[in-house]
Amino acid sequence: MKHLNVYWVLATSLGLWFLFLHSPPILSERKVLYWNNENHTLETNDAPFLLHLIGSYLIYLICMLNTLYTPSCSTLTLIGGTAVVKARCVHVWMGRCAMIAGYLSFALGVYLAWGQHETPPLGFSVGITIGGIAQLYYQFTGHYAICEYRRLKQLVHSLEHQEDDGQSQPSSVGELEDATDKMQNALHRHIYSMLAIFLLACGIPAGMRLSGDISRGNGIANSILVILVLASLVMMQRQMYRHFVHKNEPEQREPREDTTSYSTVETLFNSVDAAEGETLFSSKFRQPLLSNSG
C-alpha cells in the first residue's frame, strides 16, 4: 500500500464515521430504509432520498479505495487472500461507477433541496447546492483532464515514433516537448480534482456533522470547530496531492536532454498502459515530462 499515509487514514476515518456511525441512526429514525416486521421486507418512506444516499455512499467509498489503490499498485488482494486482481482494473471500473454515482447523487440532491412541496430551510438548500455544484465541477474537470491526457498521450507516442525513426524535425521536437508538458499538466489536474472530491466535496459535509456532534449545540464552539475542520481538510488535500506527484523521485527515467526531467507521476501510474478507455479516477503516464511544467 504505497499510498497509505496519515492524511488518507484521517480522511477515511472521517468518512467511515460519517457513513456508518453517524448517519444510520438518523436514517433509521426517518425510516429512509427500515425492516418491516409484518411483511419481512426492507422498505423506504423516501425513495428519492434513499437513491441520493446510495450515490453519496458509493462516491465516498470509491474515493477511499481509489486514492489508496492506483494503477501503479499492480495488484489488489481481496479479503482473505481468496483472489488477486489487477489494481488498475479496480481503479478504472470503480472510477466509472463513481462518476455515475456522483451525477445521480447531485441530481437527486437538487430535487430534494428545491423540487419537493416540503423543502429544507433556505440556508441549508443553498449551502448543500453549492457543495453539490463543487462536486460536479471537480468531477467534470477531472474527467475532462484524463480525456485530454489520453489524447495527448497518443500525440506524444506518434511524435516519439517519428523521432525513433530519425524522421523528426526541429519543429516536431518542440511539439513533442509541448505535448509532454501539457500531458503532465492534464494528469496533475486529474489528480487534484479527484482529491478535491474526496477531501472537500465529500469530506466537508462529514466534517460539519462531526463539529456539530462535538460542540453539542454550542454555537461558538461549533463555529470554531467548523473553521478548524475546513482548514484541516484543505491542508490534507494539498498534502495528499504532493504525495501523489512527488513520491518515488529516484525511480524516474534518465532525462534525454540537460533541460529535461521526468515527473514522479510516471512511477505512480506506470502500469496502466493495458487499460484502455480510462475515465474518472483512472490515470496513465509513462512519458518523460518537462521540469518547467506546472
Side-chain angles (χ1 to χ4, degrees):
M1 295 186 183
K2 63 192 298 183
H3 303 308
L4 181 63
N5 57 69
V6 65
Y7 304 110
W8 183 90
V9 171
L10 289 173
T12 299
S13 298
L14 173 64
L16 293 176
W17 169 83
F18 177 60
L19 296 178
F20 299 109
L21 294 178
H22 172 81
S23 298
I26 299 174
L27 301 178
S28 177
E29 182 180 348
R30 292 180 55 178
K31 291 190 174 182
V32 176
L33 184 65
Y34 67 97
W35 180 258
N36 188 318
N37 290 321
E38 294 182 359
N39 298 329
H40 302 287
T41 57
L42 277 174
E43 297 183 3
T44 179
N45 285 339
D46 195 344
F49 188 51
L50 177 61
L51 292 173
H52 168 73
L53 287 176
I54 290 174
S56 300
Y57 269 63
L58 279 175
I59 194 170
Y60 209 159
L61 292 171
I62 291 171
C63 281
M64 299 174 194
L65 176 68
N66 271 10
T67 49
L68 182 62
Y69 288 102
T70 64
S72 65
C73 294
S74 182
T75 59
L76 188 157
T77 303
L78 300 183
I79 297 174
T82 55
V84 176
V85 296
K86 292 182 177 180
R88 67 168 176 263
C89 295
V90 175
H91 190 87
V92 169
W93 282 101
M94 287 298 98
R96 291 169 178 166
C97 292
M99 171 167 281
I100 296 172
Y103 290 140
L104 173 68
S105 175
F106 173 78
L108 289 170
V110 171
Y111 168 75
L112 291 167
W114 302 100
Q116 298 189 113
H117 294 295
E118 296 183 5
T119 59
L122 179 61
F124 177 85
S125 296
V126 171
I128 205 70
T129 302
I130 292 174
I133 292 173
Q135 172 194 312
L136 204 66
Y137 169 79
Y138 284 119
Q139 275 194 241
F140 176 80
T141 56
H143 183 216
Y144 177 82
I146 202 61
C147 291
E148 181 73 0
Y149 167 82
R150 292 178 57 212
R151 182 187 68 81
L152 290 166
K153 180 178 184 294
Q154 293 179 350
L155 175 61
V156 167
H157 280 185
S158 175
L159 293 172
E160 287 194 329
H161 182 71
Q162 293 178 16
E163 189 175 81
D164 292 339
D165 292 343
Q167 301 175 359
S168 62
Q169 301 296 325
S171 59
S172 62
V173 173
E175 187 178 359
L176 174 60
E177 293 179 348
D178 183 61
T180 52
D181 182 37
K182 291 179 179 178
M183 188 166 63
Q184 180 187 33
N185 289 333
L187 187 55
H188 285 183
R189 290 197 307 272
H190 174 75
I191 297 170
Y192 186 90
S193 296
M194 299 304 101
L195 290 174
I197 293 175
F198 181 26
L199 276 299
L200 304 182
C202 294
I204 288 176
M208 293 179 68
R209 300 300 192 280
L210 179 62
S211 301
D213 279 11
I214 294 175
S215 62
R216 297 183 178 277
N218 187 317
I220 296 177
N222 184 54
S223 298
I224 294 174
L225 286 171
V226 166
I227 293 173
L228 291 175
V229 167
L230 294 179
S232 298
L233 288 169
V234 170
M235 180 274 294
M236 290 163 59
Q237 192 252 356
R238 291 180 177 179
Q239 292 299 323
M240 288 185 69
Y241 174 76
R242 291 172 182 171
H243 163 83
F244 275 95
V245 173
H246 297 294
K247 190 176 175 61
N248 297 331
E249 284 271 351
E251 298 183 17
Q252 301 311 306
R253 292 163 50 184
E254 293 297 324
R256 66 174 66 187
E257 293 181 5
D258 293 338
T259 58
T260 308
S261 63
Y262 298 84
S263 168
T264 57
V265 180
E266 176 187 356
T267 60
L268 298 177
F269 299 95
N270 62 359
S271 60
V272 295
D273 276 354
E276 292 300 326
E278 286 83 354
T279 180
L280 184 68
F281 288 64
S282 65
S283 305
K284 53 184 178 178
F285 200 74
R286 304 211 36 170
Q287 301 303 325
L289 306 174
L290 300 183
S291 58
N292 61 352
S293 47

